[in-house]
Amino acid sequence: VPGSSLNDAFNAADFEALARDKLDEGAYGYFAGGAGDERTLRDNIDAYARTTLRPRVLVDVSGASAATTVLGADVSMPLLVAPVAFQRVAHPDGEPGTARAAAAAGTVMCLSTLATASAQEVAEAARGGPRWFQLYCFSDRGVTEALVDQAVDGGYQAIVLTVDAPLLGRRERDLRTGFAIPADLEVPSFSRAIGGRREATLQDMFKLLDQSLTWRDVEMLAEISDLPVVVKGVITSEDARLAVDHGAGAVVVSNHGGRQLDGVPATLDALPEVVDAVDGRVEVYVDGGVRRGTDVATAVALGARAALIGRPVIWALAAGGEEGVARLLGLLRDEVELALALLGCPSPDALGPEHVAAPNRHR
Ligand SMILES: Cc1cc2nc3c(=O)[nH]c(=O)nc-3n(C[C@H](O)[C@H](O)[C@H](O)COP(=O)(O)O)c2cc1C
């Protein structure tokens, strides 16, 4: 769109600046913030800045492509859209807009349980786009099973079980602003659980979730549908092994974008131990602090099949709705392709640990 400020955005940070101007303080703080002193939030980003790349030259990259597969499905790049709640707080296009932009970019959108659109509405918005459904288990098992059924009916290809949030992290920005979702912005899963609509904080919603989940529930979930269960929020080798042993179809190395337990390592630093523990048995993904195509290449080099991004998508959505997300994903795909070519890698599969020099890399 000529004259649109979107055309002035050339990277994730540019979109954040645009979004900050558009969002009120409560919404901005909710999307941007982390838990506690926000040490982990900052470290997720700093960890990428601590690594350096080791390119190889005079490799034929004339046919280079960022295309790869995740859980056997084709994607245009090893970068997926992470589940982020309440997207209509950022822009009226909300989750359907994000889903259309992700489908057009040829990548996976993972829909949050706490979305402001139903799984069906999002599926209809982005027919054909690869999509996953992120699950929070409600104490009311009927609600949880209904969510899984909707994901199956809507053609979602995986259930992403988030395991790092049995309770809500301490997010002081939200406590200060009193951030809440107004009753007129429907969160369908919450409406179903309470049998109506009302204004609610995230804490109100988390009170309805099941804090008693254990590894047995991963097995149970794997049995109630044919979809692979991707366990999101693993950052230790111990839990990575347990996830595989209990039937996980993949794991996401994630600390919830620094929003849950403050003081845990940056996900990039936790990635090698998880990759080693999983030992090729399932795919490993990573999220947290990914802002550049070179970050994606770094994560893949250290063993991730793909990376996911959370906040940048929200900044782009706030800045320009579906069109903003489409522009962001296009820019990032170009960045990934360029990074691969300049590293001397014709495809993501050509990346290996030898392409990264990191201070505390395991191999
Ligand atoms: C505003 C916000 C809401 C989120 N909501 C969810 C959610 O509903 N379910 C979930 O599993 N993760 C959620 N996450 C975590 C993201 O899926 C992802 O792990 C994280 O954003 C990645 O870090 P990044 O924002 O630095 O890219 C949320 C993150 C943010 C920033």
Side-chain angles (χ1 to χ4, degrees):
V1 182
S4 152
S5 60
L6 281 187
N7 293 330
D8 297 330
F10 288 97
N11 59 41
D14 290 345
F15 280 105
E16 177 164 9
L18 292 176
R20 196 172 193 153
D21 284 344
K22 295 216 170 175
L23 297 172
D24 66 38
E25 201 194 343
Y28 177 77
Y30 167 68
F31 290 125
D37 294 318
E38 300 189 336
R39 283 165 52 195
T40 297
L41 173 68
R42 286 188 295 276
D43 204 35
N44 276 347
I45 289 185
D46 293 348
Y48 284 97
R50 288 195 292 268
T51 62
T52 54
L53 296 168
R54 300 184 69 249
R56 297 298 306 277
V57 297
L58 294 176
V59 177
D60 179 355
V61 291
S62 55
S65 161
T68 186
T69 62
V70 285
L71 294 174
D74 289 324
V75 285
S76 66
M77 58 179 162
L79 182 62
L80 323 175
V81 175
V84 172
F86 314 139
Q87 296 191 9
R88 282 193 166 119
V89 170
H91 192 281
D93 286 358
E95 291 84 359
T98 300
R100 278 190 296 267
T107 195
V108 169
M109 183 216 183
C110 184
L111 181 69
S112 167
T113 283
L114 298 176
T116 46
S118 69
Q120 188 191 348
E121 191 185 348
V122 171
E124 281 164 10
R127 292 233 159 272
R131 50 187 177 271
W132 297 351
F133 183 80
Q134 178 268 326
L135 184 68
Y136 283 131
C137 291
F138 284 80
S139 303
D140 180 340
R141 291 264 151 161
V143 175
T144 307
E145 280 167 24
L147 288 171
V148 173
D149 288 347
Q150 284 168 17
V152 171
D153 292 346
Y156 291 72
Q157 291 148 10
I159 298 292
V160 177
L161 180 70
T162 300
V163 296
D164 57 11
L167 277 78
L168 185 66
R170 186 173 168 80
R171 316 217 181 129
E172 291 174 5
R173 298 199 209 200
D174 295 348
L175 299 177
R176 287 183 218 286
T177 63
F179 178 73
I181 306 300
D184 61 354
L185 207 62
E186 190 176 22
V187 178
S189 61
F190 180 63
S191 298
R192 182 183 269 263
I194 65 167
R197 282 194 194 191
R198 64 172 168 87
E199 181 183 282
T201 63
L202 190 53
Q203 185 68 269
D204 296 331
M205 299 183 194
F206 263 67
K207 281 189 195 131
L208 304 178
L209 303 181
D210 187 352
Q211 297 167 10
S212 72
L213 286 196
T214 67
W215 290 107
R216 295 181 63 111
D217 296 290
V218 174
E219 290 176 14
M220 183 275 295
L221 257 181
E223 279 161 20
I224 65 172
S225 83
D226 290 337
L227 299 181
V229 176
V230 177
V231 176
K232 174 173 181 278
V234 167
I235 50 168
T236 63
S237 56
E238 296 92 321
D239 282 342
R241 278 188 207 99
L242 284 168
V244 176
D245 291 348
H246 289 272
V251 298
V252 186
V253 177
S254 175
N255 52 36
H256 218 105
R259 297 163 72 83
Q260 284 299 111
L261 181 62
D262 195 30
V264 299
T267 45
L268 184 66
D269 292 334
L271 177 63
E273 81 168 67
V274 172
V275 168
D276 282 351
V278 165
D279 199 20
R281 288 175 291 172
V282 298
E283 292 180 348
V284 176
Y285 315 116
V286 66
D287 73 17
V290 174
R291 300 293 178 264
R292 287 285 188 184
T294 44
D295 298 341
V296 177
T298 300
V300 173
L302 295 181
R305 184 72 187 172
L308 296 83
I309 40 167
R311 293 181 185 82
V313 171
I314 296 305
W315 306 142
L317 186 66
E322 174 187 344
E323 201 190 325
V325 179
R327 178 166 171 92
L328 172 76
L329 294 176
L331 288 166
L332 285 170
R333 192 172 58 190
D334 290 349
E335 284 192 20
V336 174
E337 280 170 359
L338 182 61
L340 286 172
L342 296 183
L343 279 160
C345 295
S347 77
D349 283 343
L351 284 164
E354 67 277 12
H355 291 104
V356 177
N360 53 0
R361 179 153 67 78
H362 275 209
R363 17 184 178 167

